[in-house]
Amino acid sequence: MNHPTTVTELMAEAANALIRRDPHRLEELERITRGWMQTADEELAQIILLQAMTEAADLLLDTPSEIESA
């Protein structure tokens, strides 16, 4: 399992998790970012984004991804 160490890696991993409809991975990514050295604003932005993506993944669980099938 990939353990992102940069924001770029985090965003790529989060996008892949959303495409796969994997809310558990998104929750794991949120826990990972909480341990990073960054400003409170950066952390909050990442956490809110990942929480929104987790909610979206939950809502889309039974819907196939057009990106994944392409």
Side-chain angles (χ1 to χ4, degrees):
M1 188 164 288
N2 189 10
H3 190 84
T5 57
T6 67
V7 173
T8 300
E9 291 172 356
L10 172 71
M11 293 298 100
E13 188 67 24
N16 286 329
L18 181 56
I19 290 167
R20 292 189 318 272
R21 314 303 200 236
D22 187 351
H24 302 292
R25 179 61 176 153
L26 290 161
E27 290 169 351
E28 181 182 350
L29 292 171
E30 181 185 334
R31 285 190 295 278
I32 289 169
T33 64
R34 288 181 186 270
W36 285 358
M37 184 178 282
Q38 59 186 339
T39 68
D41 288 344
E42 290 171 322
E43 181 177 306
L44 182 60
Q46 291 165 9
I47 289 169
I48 291 170
L49 176 64
L50 289 164
Q51 288 175 347
M53 292 175 81
T54 300
E55 187 174 311
D58 282 333
L59 293 171
L60 295 169
L61 274 176
D62 296 325
T63 306
S65 169
E66 293 178 14
I67 298 170
E68 190 173 41
S69 63

